[in-house]
Each structure stands twice: as C-alpha cells, then as structure tokens.
Amino acid sequence: MASSHSSSPVPQGSSSDVFFKKEVDPTKHIRPVQSLPDVCPKEPTVTDQHRWTIYHSKVNLPAALNDPRLAKRESDFFTKTWGLDFVDTEVIPSFYLPQISKEHFTVYQQEISQREKIHERCKKICPPKDTFDRTLLHTHDKSRTDLEQVPKIFMKPDFALDDSLTFNSVLPWSHFNTAGGKGNRDAASSKLLQEKLSHYLDIVEVNIAHQISLRSEAFFHAMTSQHELQDYLKKTSQAVKMLRDKIAQIDKVMCEGSLHILRLALTRNNCVKVYNKLKLMATVHQTQPTVQVLLSTSEFVGALDLIATTQEVLQQELQGIHSFRHLGSQLCELEKLIDKMMIAEFSTYSHSDLNRPLEDDCQILEEERLVSLVFGLLKQRKLNFLEIYSEEMIITAKNIIKQCVINKVSQIEDIDTDVVLKLADQMRMLNFLQWFDLLKDIFSKFTIFLQRVKATLNIIHSVVLSVLDKNQRTRELEEISQQKNAAKDNSLDTEVAYLIHEGMFISDAFSESELTPIAIDTTSQRNASPNSEPCSSDSVSEPECTTDSSSSKEQTSSSVTPGAVDIMVNEDMKLTDLELGKLANNVQELLYSASDICHDRAVKFLMSRAKDGFLEKLNSTEFITLSRLMETFILETEQICGRKSMSLLGALQGQANKFVNRFHEERKTKLSLLLDNERWKQADVPAEFQDLVDSIADGKIALPEKKSWATEERKPAEVLIVEGQQYAVVGTVLLLIRIILEYCQCVDNIPSVTTDMLTRLSDLLKYFNSRSCQLVLGAGALQVVGLKTITTKNLALSSRCLQLIVHYIPVIRAHFEARLQPKQYSMLRHFDHITKDYHDHIAEISAKLVAIMDSLFDKLLSKYEVKAPVPSACFRNICKQMAKMHEAIFDLLPEEQTQMLFLRINASYKLHLKKQLSHLNVINDGGPQNGLVTADVAFYTGNLQALKGLKDLDLNMAEIWEQKR
C-alpha cells in the first residue's frame, strides 16, 4: 500500500508554481483548450465550423451503441461486444452482493455536495452560450469573415511545407525568378506575397488571442481547483499514515504469533512431503530389479502394471527429479522388450498347446499362463497374436495328416518305403479299406484338434469380454460419480452463500466439514491400493500408500477369469469398446477358420488320392460308406465350431456328382442292353422280385437283404402280384424296378445328391418309355431282336409293363418329396410329365390294338354278301379273330381294360357293318336279307359274349341299321 501511495501521480506545490510561471504560447495550446470541461461558453471559430469535435455530437448513447451491421436492433449494448450469440437471460441474485439501500449513499452524498456547490458557482460565472449578447455574436461573425480570407490550404490538418506541392502552392517559384530583366517586378511581387502572408498571420493571431481571452476564467478556475485538490491529498496522506501505524501495531500484537505458528505448521507439512517424496524415490529406484524378478516368473501383467505406475509417478509426482531423468526412457525400452517377450511366449505356448499328443485328455494347457499372456497382450494393444495362433493351426493341421499317413503306411508290409520314396505315392498304394481307416483316423484327430482349439479360444474370448464388461462398468461408475459431484457442488455453493451471509470464515468452515470425508476417502484408497498391483514386493506396493494420484489411478476392479486368475482391469487397458468387440468377433472367426483349415487339408488329402481315379472307381457301397464318414465329420465340426465349412462339403458334392453320373450311366447302359435284347415275351417272376414288390407295399423303399435259404425253396411265379393285382411283365421291367429302388436307396444314403438323382431317374424313366415305344409300337424289335412280327400279345404285354411303372411313380414321387427342400418342390413336376407320357403311350397301344381289328373288319366286311348259309363265312372269320384277340390279351390285361378294349373294337365293327349294309341297301324291313343279317349278327354276338369276361358286355347291335326316313 505504501508503494502505491508513493507512486501516485499527484502534483506537488513546486510543480504548480512552475505551471503558473510558464509562458503561454497561443499557437501551441489551441487543442488543450478544447479538451477542457464544457463549463464555459465557447466562441466558435472558422476552423471549428469545418472540423467535427465531440462538442458536435448530439446522438444519445443507446443510438451510438447500436451496431448498424446487425439485421435487427438489439435490446441492450452487450451484443456490441459479445456478438450475436449473446442471449439475455434472467440474472440470478448473487449470494456475494449485499442488499443496497439509500443509507449506503449517505457518505457519497456528503462528499459530493462540496463539488456540486463549486459546479454551480462555475455555472454562474460562465453563463451558457444562449446568454451572449448580440455584440458577441457580431464579433463572432466578424472573426469568421476574417478567417475566410485565409486560404483553405493553411487550415488543412496535414499542412506541411516539406511537401513539394504544398510548398509550390504557398510560395510559387514565379515570384523568385529574376531572369529576363524582370527583377523589379518580381521583387515587388515577392514583397506583396510577404505582406499577404503577414496579413494571414495577423488574422490568425487575433482570433487565437480572442479565443484565449474567452477562456481566461476557465484557466484561473482550474488553478484554484488544483490548490484545493492538493490540500485534500495532503490530508489524505496524513490519514493513510496514521492508518498504517495502527495496522502495524495490530499486526505486531495480534498476527505475528499466529502467523509464526502457521509457518511452523507449513514447514512441518513440507518436511513430511519431502520425507514421503524420498520414500517414493526409493521405491521407484527399486522398479527395474522388481520388473526383472517378475519377468523371471513370466508375470508380464504385473511387470507392465509396475512400469505404468512408475511412469505415472515420474510424470506427476517426481517430475523434474534430475536423478530420474533417464529412468523414463529405460522403462519404455523395458516395455518394448516385454512386448517382444510376450509375443515370443505366446508363440511358444501356441506351439506346445497344439502339438502335444492328441491322446492327452487335458483340453487346455496351463490356463493361468494363457490368461496372463492374453491380458498382457491386450494391455499393450498387441492384437496380432491371433494371427500367430492361426499360423500355428495351419502347421499343426498339416502335421496331423502327415503323421497319420506315416503311421498307417508303416503298418502295411506290402509297401516298400525304400522303393517308393514320396509319402503321397505310398498313400496311393493303399486299398480302399486301408485308406478308409486312414481317413477315419485323420477325421478323429481333427475333431480332437478342433475341440482343443475351441477350448483355448473360449478362454481368450472370455478374457476379452471381461475387459469389455469392466470398461462398461467403469464408465457407468464415472457417470454416477460425476452426478454426485455435481450435486455436491450445488450444495457447496448454497453452503458458501449461507456462510457469507452469516459472516463466518469460509476457510474455517471448509476445514471442519471437509477434513473428515477426505481422511476417510484417503484411508479407503490406501487400503484398496495394495490389490492393484499383482506383486509380492513390499517396496513396490509402497508408492500407492504414499501418493494420492497413483492410488486413485489404480482404483480399479479385479476380474476373475475362468482360470481363477485375478487380473486387474484398469485404465491402462487402452482398447475401446469397438476394438474389443471387433477382437471378440475375430476370436469367433478364428474358430471358424480352424474348421475351414481342417476341411481344406482333408480336401487336399482326398484330391491327392483321387488323382488316379480311385474315388470314381468305387462301387455304390464303398462310396456310400465314404460319404457317410465325411458327412459325419462335417456335422461334428459344425457342432464344435458353430458353422458349417463348405470346402469338404463341396468336394464331397463334386465326388457325389461324379458318382451320380457314373451310377446313372451304368444303369442307363444296362437298361439299354436289356431293352435291345428283350423279345417282349412274358417272363417268370423270381421270388426275390416278389419280395421286393411286397417290401415296397409295406412302405420300405429299399433293396431287401438276400435270403438264400428262402429263395431256393420258392419257385418263380407266372405274374407279379402288386397290391392284389396281377401284372404280366417282361424281364426288363423287373430289373427296371430294381434299378429304380437303387436310385431311391442312393438318395437315402447320400442326401446331398437328391436333386441330381431325381433328374437322372426322370431321364431313365423317359428313356425306358421312349425306347420301348420305338421297339414295340415302332416295330424296332424286328431289326434289333429279330422278331418276325409285333403281335397283339407283345403290345398288351408292353402296355401292362407301362402300367406297372405308372403304378410306382407316385410312390417314387413321395419318396423324393420327403427328402427335398420346400424350395425344390418344383422339380417334382418331372414325375407329372413322365406320368402323362406313360398314359399317352398306353393309350397309343390301346389305339394300336383297336386299329389292328379295325383293319381286319374293313378287309372282311368289305366282301360280305347277304346270302346263305348262316352264319356266313365272313362272320365266322370275324368271330375267330375276335377269339384270338381275346385269348392273346385276356391273361395280360385286367378284365376292366379288356372290356373297354372290346367295346372300342365292337364299335369299330358296328361302324364297318353299318357301312357295308348301307352299301348293299339292306334295311331293317323284316325281309329275307334282314333275317340273314340278323342271324349273322346274333351269331357274332353270341360268340363274343361267350368269351371269358365279356358276358355282360352291352353290344347294342341295333345301331347297325340306319334309321327309317
């Protein structure tokens, strides 16, 4: 305070004397006169009329503060400085400001009253401008007229003779040019210019003197005020000196002892802090040896936590300690070394875990070690450890197949390993049973391998999820603590306002209210801090007990992993939730990749064996056995890994397609050979085929097992009995039924080829229909087999064979429909087309039989004459041919079909007879010719109805006669 008073710019008495003795220069004090307070009337001059000063301002303050750049007028002047973003909000009454009343201004009014009296006195001495008389106004107008004689260039604010243009305009060179005998005239001109400038100077000086005379009273008033101000300052200085003396006495009596006590307490606290700092330095000094001890026991997480804690202490509490200037860089290098050690350790662990004997029942090798490694790698953001594990899986899968092949080949004595050097060539020398056993062994070992991989990846996945869960919990706790702190701050503000209002000391109130919670919080932190460091060294855990920042930073929750390893999940885990979620997905994808690796290696093993066409040469039983083994392995891997791998399934599908093609070609070729050698005669039905048909009737669509003892006792039957109906068939159809069942059984054994088998079976049935049509209806059997003619018996037998196949088409359709996906039901339309084709073929055969008799009727009845004897020879031949037709087809076709066929034949007969009678003009008039015809027709009717199964046939012979007109 003394320094501030001594430096105050107050003028002393000597300075005021100098001020009065100083000579006044009118040309230099024009501007200071204008800056005086506007307490005296001011006579305007010519210059004042042309220059704007603050005295010309007639705009109120709110108008001056309006910003013309704004789109709208603001409500107050705050937006001018604070910008467009300022929003007028309700001002909350402050707790720190007391309520102001009129009593607060009493002292101010007493102090200002003297100044107000002086001001009123000055106003009386210097009346306002409006009180000037007309004389002053006339003088003012005269001064303005005089000033107008002075050129405007002299009144410019930037007037300077050093400017060439200004100088030339004021002093033209033409007045100083003495050449050309014009010296006298120029001298007179220069003298005139000098007089003119002197006149201008006189005008200006007169006006300046006039202005000074107008303000002489203001000068004297200012000096009088200066003397009074100095008196006030002198009294103030004496009062301040007395106040300082009193404050010094109070300070000596009341404050020095208390301040000394506070200084001693502060010194003691500083000593305690120095002591704790030294203890902390001693602990930090032991960091590197402790890290070495932890690394020797593979405690990577503990070593990393210790390094992180030490670095945090160095950056916060030991910052600037010269002796530790290199420790930070050393710890960074040590941390990089630990990263390399962890990656090498994880690679070693992966190799030892995946390459241990598969007979070992232990699913996970050293679970605690794995958990510790994964936590350490996550802590250091070394997320490429999954790639290391993936590469190790590929190598292990190759080694499993190689070792299995070596073990199998070594057991076979027929393989000379000295002659056949390559392992693949040795493997190709195995027969199917040996190779099948080898493949089964590989699949079993792959299954165990995938189970181990799944167990290991589950541990890694659980560690990642635990870290993710702890991150989310920590975030929730931080949000809760922030809300509590906000509520605490609000209550604290209210309490502070209350203390201010009551007049208490805020520091005392805080010391009483805050001391106990802080002590309790600190104690709880200290008690919790030792668990934050997985280290048994007392010297390492000591920093948490002596520092606030380290203990608070290490306040994290522990995570108990599936391996019962207590690992701290703290803020040093720098992974975000997105990265942890992505890493968890990568772990799951790695399990899928393990399944794909096993399937890929199995596919390569299959392809190496299939190079010589070994798989394509397998019979149906062998291929079905192989297919079932592969499907079982695919199902097991899908159950283990949760996703079906497609590589082995695709290879199986490819081999299945090749098998289906070969299977179909073999059956189609066999059927073609059977048809080409078929003589279309009724064949005996062996007992095994009857058993086959009976099993189909029982709902079992499969080839029955052969029973040699039963088939030897049973003799072949003449017809095939299917659900109570007799079918006379040829041998080709019996074999075709067996082939159809082979297709159905193949679908049961290999479900993946259902659609292909359906297409191939449809093709086979179409082929049988078209080929049988070519051989029988098209008479192709005459050239192929050497038949002399295609008889009605051949046609009827062909029709009955087609009817048998049509009977089984719905059964085959239902069998395939049960094994197709709903989206594949559209393929069943092939059976509908085949059924239609077969029915059309049967109808064509029936039409052919009718056409045969129709041609016979046309031939015989065209020669018919109505004459004796009765019956005529024509009708005898017709009845004889009808009896032959009946004898040929009755035992082959069912009775209903035979009746329908003879009705069609009888209709053809009636049509031809009616035509012939019309030609012979024989009518139903009861005459002799009518009688002869009636007798022949009665003979025909009697013979036809006498045939077996045609007794009740309605012949309706009355239609042979034309109606009477």
Side-chain angles (χ1 to χ4, degrees):
M1 292 177 65
S3 60
S4 63
H5 282 284
S6 60
S7 60
S8 178
V10 179
Q12 303 299 325
S14 59
S15 61
S16 63
D17 296 338
V18 175
F19 180 82
F20 284 112
K21 293 179 182 179
K22 189 174 180 180
E23 184 178 357
V24 179
D25 188 357
T27 60
K28 297 182 180 180
H29 291 280
I30 296 176
R31 294 185 185 273
V33 171
Q34 294 179 356
S35 63
L36 289 174
D38 192 9
V39 295
C40 299
K42 176 175 137 179
E43 187 69 22
T45 62
V46 177
T47 306
D48 294 333
Q49 290 182 352
H50 297 283
R51 182 177 60 185
W52 188 91
T53 63
I54 59 174
Y55 302 102
H56 290 78
S57 175
K58 292 183 176 58
V59 184
N60 57 1
L61 183 60
L65 293 176
N66 284 335
D67 191 353
R69 296 171 295 178
L70 296 179
K72 62 179 181 179
R73 188 177 300 275
E74 301 296 337
S75 60
D76 52 40
F77 63 89
F78 291 105
T79 54
K80 182 172 180 65
T81 303
W82 295 346
L84 296 175
D85 297 332
F86 173 77
V87 179
D88 189 11
T89 58
E90 182 180 359
V91 180
I92 301 175
S94 176
F95 297 106
Y96 304 100
L97 298 178
Q99 295 293 332
I100 305 301
S101 62
K102 292 184 178 181
E103 286 75 9
H104 289 82
F105 297 96
T106 304
V107 179
Y108 173 76
Q109 290 177 352
Q110 292 176 358
E111 292 178 353
I112 206 68
S113 60
Q114 187 67 22
R115 299 179 187 178
E116 185 180 5
K117 293 178 181 179
I118 296 173
H119 179 69
E120 292 296 335
R121 190 185 308 123
C122 292
K123 289 176 63 177
K124 293 178 180 179
I125 295 173
C126 300
K129 296 180 181 180
D130 296 337
T131 60
F132 278 96
D133 53 8
R134 296 187 178 274
T135 305
L136 294 176
L137 292 176
H138 176 72
T139 306
H140 173 64
D141 294 336
K142 182 179 180 182
S143 300
R144 182 188 303 173
T145 305
D146 293 339
L147 285 175
E148 287 178 357
Q149 299 177 9
V150 181
K152 297 297 176 87
I153 190 171
F154 294 103
M155 301 299 177
K156 290 183 178 179
D158 57 348
F159 177 78
L161 291 176
D162 53 357
D163 187 9
S164 59
L165 296 178
T166 305
F167 186 82
N168 291 331
S169 60
V170 174
L171 301 173
W173 286 104
S174 59
H175 296 285
F176 306 99
N177 189 3
T178 56
K182 299 180 181 180
N184 297 330
R185 189 176 58 182
D186 292 338
S189 177
S190 299
K191 186 177 180 181
L192 182 61
L193 178 61
Q194 184 178 1
E195 293 177 354
K196 186 177 182 181
L197 292 176
S198 299
H199 177 65
Y200 293 159
L201 179 59
D202 294 339
I203 293 174
V204 172
E205 287 178 350
V206 169
N207 279 275
I208 291 174
H210 179 67
Q211 294 294 330
I212 292 173
S213 64
L214 290 177
R215 285 161 176 78
S216 59
E217 293 294 335
F219 285 136
F220 291 109
H221 176 67
M223 294 311 300
T224 304
S225 301
Q226 184 71 16
H227 288 295
E228 292 178 359
L229 180 61
Q230 289 178 0
D231 294 337
Y232 289 147
L233 288 177
K234 185 176 180 181
K235 294 178 182 179
T236 304
S237 177
Q238 292 175 357
V240 168
K241 183 178 180 181
M242 292 175 61
L243 181 60
R244 285 182 177 179
D245 292 339
K246 290 181 181 180
I247 291 175
Q249 292 177 2
I250 294 173
D251 184 30
K252 183 177 181 181
V253 174
M254 301 182 62
C255 299
E256 280 189 1
S258 301
L259 290 176
H260 183 65
I261 294 174
L262 293 177
R263 292 191 189 98
L264 291 178
L266 182 60
T267 304
R268 182 181 179 278
N269 291 334
N270 290 337
C271 292
V272 172
K273 290 182 180 179
V274 171
Y275 173 72
N276 292 335
K277 193 76 69 176
L278 291 175
K279 287 178 62 178
L280 182 59
M281 291 174 64
T283 303
V284 170
H285 185 65
Q286 297 297 323
T287 298
Q288 288 179 317
T290 307
V291 169
Q292 298 295 336
V293 173
L294 292 173
L295 292 181
S296 63
T297 59
S298 298
E299 289 287 342
F300 298 108
V301 178
L304 290 171
D305 287 339
L306 179 56
I307 290 174
T309 304
T310 305
Q311 287 179 338
E312 184 178 357
V313 171
L314 288 174
Q315 292 175 1
Q316 294 182 1
E317 302 183 19
L318 297 181
Q319 187 175 10
I321 302 300
H322 186 71
S323 58
F324 289 151
R325 63 187 184 280
H326 301 303
L327 183 58
S329 59
Q330 293 173 359
L331 292 178
C332 290
E333 294 297 328
L334 190 59
E335 190 174 1
K336 294 179 182 178
L337 177 62
I338 293 175
D339 293 346
K340 296 179 181 179
M341 291 177 63
M342 284 193 301
I343 293 175
E345 184 74 11
F346 184 81
S347 179
T348 304
Y349 174 84
S350 302
H351 180 77
S352 59
D353 178 49
L354 296 177
N355 289 279
R356 57 194 169 100
L358 295 173
E359 293 79 11
D360 189 3
D361 295 335
C362 181
Q363 291 290 339
I364 303 175
L365 180 66
E366 300 180 12
E367 182 176 349
E368 296 180 0
R369 178 185 172 192
L370 173 61
V371 171
S372 178
L373 282 172
V374 173
F375 265 107
L377 293 169
L378 291 179
K379 186 180 181 66
Q380 297 303 108
R381 299 179 62 87
K382 300 298 180 182
L383 305 183
N384 58 343
F385 66 94
L386 294 180
E387 299 177 1
I388 298 174
Y389 197 80
S390 177
E391 294 174 358
E392 196 63 37
M393 286 193 306
I394 297 174
I395 297 173
T396 304
K398 292 180 181 178
N399 293 336
I400 288 174
I401 293 179
K402 184 177 180 181
Q403 190 62 37
C404 290
V405 174
I406 292 174
N407 295 338
K408 189 64 179 179
V409 170
S410 62
Q411 298 174 2
I412 307 300
E413 298 178 355
D414 298 339
I415 300 176
D416 188 357
T417 56
D418 297 333
V419 178
V420 183
L421 300 179
K422 293 184 178 181
L423 193 61
D425 296 335
Q426 296 174 5
M427 183 264 296
R428 292 190 186 96
M429 297 179 67
L430 301 175
N431 57 32
F432 176 75
L433 292 178
Q434 295 170 346
W435 181 80
F436 184 78
D437 292 338
L438 174 59
L439 184 61
K440 186 187 296 184
D441 185 35
I442 291 173
F443 283 166
S444 64
K445 292 237 171 47
F446 273 160
T447 303
I448 299 174
F449 168 72
L450 288 177
Q451 290 174 350
R452 288 185 177 178
V453 170
K454 181 180 181 181
T456 302
L457 293 180
N458 283 341
I459 295 298
I460 297 175
H461 191 261
S462 63
V463 171
V464 175
L465 291 183
S466 65
V467 175
L468 180 60
D469 182 59
K470 295 304 178 184
N471 285 351
Q472 294 175 351
R473 289 185 181 179
T474 303
R475 192 181 304 108
E476 292 176 357
L477 291 176
E478 289 178 354
E479 292 177 356
I480 294 173
S481 63
Q482 288 177 0
Q483 293 175 359
K484 290 183 178 179
N485 291 335
K488 185 176 180 181
D489 292 340
N490 293 334
S491 63
L492 185 61
D493 292 340
T494 306
E495 184 178 0
V496 170
Y498 172 75
L499 292 175
I500 293 174
H501 181 69
E502 294 294 329
M504 295 178 62
F505 290 102
I506 299 177
S507 60
D508 296 338
F510 283 172
S511 63
E512 294 176 0
S513 61
E514 296 294 331
L515 182 60
T516 303
I518 291 175
I520 294 173
D521 189 22
T522 307
T523 305
S524 63
Q525 290 181 2
R526 296 298 180 267
N527 295 332
S529 60
N531 293 331
S532 63
E533 196 69 7
C535 175
S536 60
S537 176
D538 294 337
S539 62
V540 176
S541 61
E542 194 168 354
E544 291 90 4
C545 300
T546 58
T547 58
D548 293 336
S549 61
S550 60
S551 61
S552 61
K553 292 281 184 172
E554 292 297 328
Q555 279 293 320
T556 54
S557 56
S558 62
S559 173
V560 180
T561 59
V565 181
D566 193 7
I567 300 294
M568 296 310 300
V569 183
N570 52 30
E571 294 180 357
D572 292 335
M573 293 293 181
K574 304 173 183 177
L575 298 173
T576 62
D577 291 352
L578 180 61
E579 291 174 331
L580 290 172
K582 185 177 180 181
L583 183 61
N585 293 335
N586 291 340
V587 172
Q588 187 63 37
E589 289 295 332
L590 187 60
L591 182 59
Y592 300 153
S593 177
S595 176
D596 294 339
I597 289 170
C598 293
H599 282 246
D600 293 340
R601 302 313 304 178
V603 169
K604 290 184 179 180
F605 178 76
L606 289 174
M607 294 300 102
S608 62
R609 188 66 182 90
K611 285 185 178 180
D612 54 355
F614 172 76
L615 298 179
E616 297 178 2
K617 297 176 183 178
L618 298 178
N619 56 36
S620 300
T621 304
E622 293 174 344
F623 187 82
I624 289 171
T625 305
L626 175 62
S627 176
R628 286 178 177 175
L629 176 64
M630 296 172 68
E631 289 177 351
T632 302
F633 176 70
I634 293 172
L635 182 60
E636 289 177 352
T637 56
E638 183 181 1
Q639 292 175 351
I640 294 172
C641 301
R643 189 181 71 176
K644 181 182 291 185
S645 297
M646 304 305 297
S647 56
L648 185 60
L649 187 63
L652 175 61
Q653 189 66 37
Q655 292 298 325
N657 292 336
K658 295 180 181 179
F659 170 75
V660 168
N661 290 333
R662 181 174 58 83
F663 180 88
H664 177 66
E665 293 299 328
E666 290 177 356
R667 271 67 182 170
K668 189 174 182 179
T669 303
K670 181 179 180 180
L671 180 62
S672 177
L673 293 175
L674 291 173
L675 288 172
D676 289 344
N677 293 309
E678 181 61 59
R679 300 189 67 83
W680 298 99
K681 293 183 178 181
Q682 184 177 357
D684 294 335
V685 180
E688 59 175 334
F689 286 98
Q690 186 62 51
D691 294 339
L692 186 66
V693 171
D694 294 340
S695 66
I696 296 174
D698 295 337
K700 183 180 179 182
I701 304 178
L703 295 175
E705 298 180 357
K706 293 183 179 180
K707 300 177 181 179
S708 57
W709 59 271
T711 56
E712 290 177 355
E713 298 176 359
R714 299 169 61 184
K715 295 181 181 180
E718 293 183 356
V719 293
L720 185 68
I721 300 176
V722 179
E723 297 180 0
Q725 293 188 10
Q726 296 181 353
Y727 286 88
V729 293
V730 296
T732 301
V733 173
L734 294 176
L735 294 176
L736 177 60
I737 292 175
R738 183 180 182 88
I739 291 172
I740 291 173
L741 291 182
E742 289 177 355
Y743 276 83
C744 295
Q745 188 172 4
C746 185
V747 168
D748 291 336
N749 296 327
I750 312 176
S752 60
V753 300
T754 302
T755 55
D756 290 338
M757 278 296 181
L758 189 151
T759 305
R760 301 299 193 282
L761 181 57
S762 302
D763 179 66
L764 185 73
L765 294 175
K766 290 178 181 179
Y767 177 76
F768 174 77
N769 184 39
S770 61
R771 187 59 179 163
S772 61
C773 182
Q774 293 174 3
L775 292 174
V776 180
L777 280 179
L782 300 179
Q783 292 81 16
V784 177
V785 186
L787 296 181
K788 294 182 180 180
T789 183
I790 301 298
T791 63
T792 54
K793 193 169 186 178
N794 298 140
L795 292 172
L797 192 60
S798 175
S799 175
R800 196 58 176 162
C801 291
L802 293 173
Q803 291 173 10
L804 179 61
I805 301 301
V806 169
H807 174 78
Y808 282 115
I809 285 178
V811 179
I812 300 169
R813 175 195 174 100
H815 180 80
F816 276 91
E817 184 177 1
R819 287 152 182 81
L820 287 175
Q821 299 293 332
K823 61 182 180 181
Q824 298 174 337
Y825 285 166
S826 60
M827 298 185 67
L828 297 173
R829 68 181 185 278
H830 294 297
F831 292 111
D832 300 333
H833 298 161
I834 292 171
T835 303
K836 181 178 181 303
D837 293 341
Y838 272 68
H839 282 300
D840 292 344
H841 190 183
I842 294 171
E844 290 177 3
I845 292 175
S846 299
K848 183 66 175 178
L849 292 174
V850 174
I852 291 173
M853 297 305 297
D854 185 77
S855 62
L856 179 65
F857 293 151
D858 184 50
K859 179 180 178 181
L860 293 176
L861 291 177
S862 62
K863 299 178 181 179
Y864 173 64
E865 294 179 358
V866 183
K867 62 181 181 178
V870 177
S872 63
C874 175
F875 274 79
R876 288 194 182 96
N877 288 334
I878 289 174
C879 290
K880 182 178 179 180
Q881 294 298 328
M882 293 287 280
K884 287 183 178 181
M885 169 68 76
H886 180 270
E887 181 183 1
I889 66 174
F890 184 77
D891 295 333
L892 301 179
L893 299 178
E895 184 174 348
E896 294 80 4
Q897 187 177 357
T898 303
Q899 290 177 359
M900 292 299 297
L901 183 63
F902 272 91
L903 283 176
R904 292 176 63 186
I905 292 173
N906 182 59
S908 176
Y909 161 76
K910 290 190 291 183
L911 182 63
H912 285 284
L913 180 59
K914 183 178 181 179
K915 181 179 179 182
Q916 184 64 23
L917 293 177
S918 175
H919 178 69
L920 296 176
N921 294 322
V922 176
I923 59 175
N924 188 13
D925 55 356
Q929 289 184 336
N930 184 17
L932 293 175
V933 172
T934 302
D936 288 337
V937 170
F939 174 77
Y940 165 78
T941 303
N943 279 277
L944 187 58
Q945 291 181 345
L947 297 177
K948 187 177 181 180
L950 302 181
K951 182 179 180 181
D952 299 331
L953 199 66
D954 185 12
L955 299 180
N956 194 13
M957 298 306 296
E959 295 179 354
I960 64 175
W961 305 105
E962 289 187 357
Q963 298 294 331
K964 293 182 179 181
R965 298 178 180 178

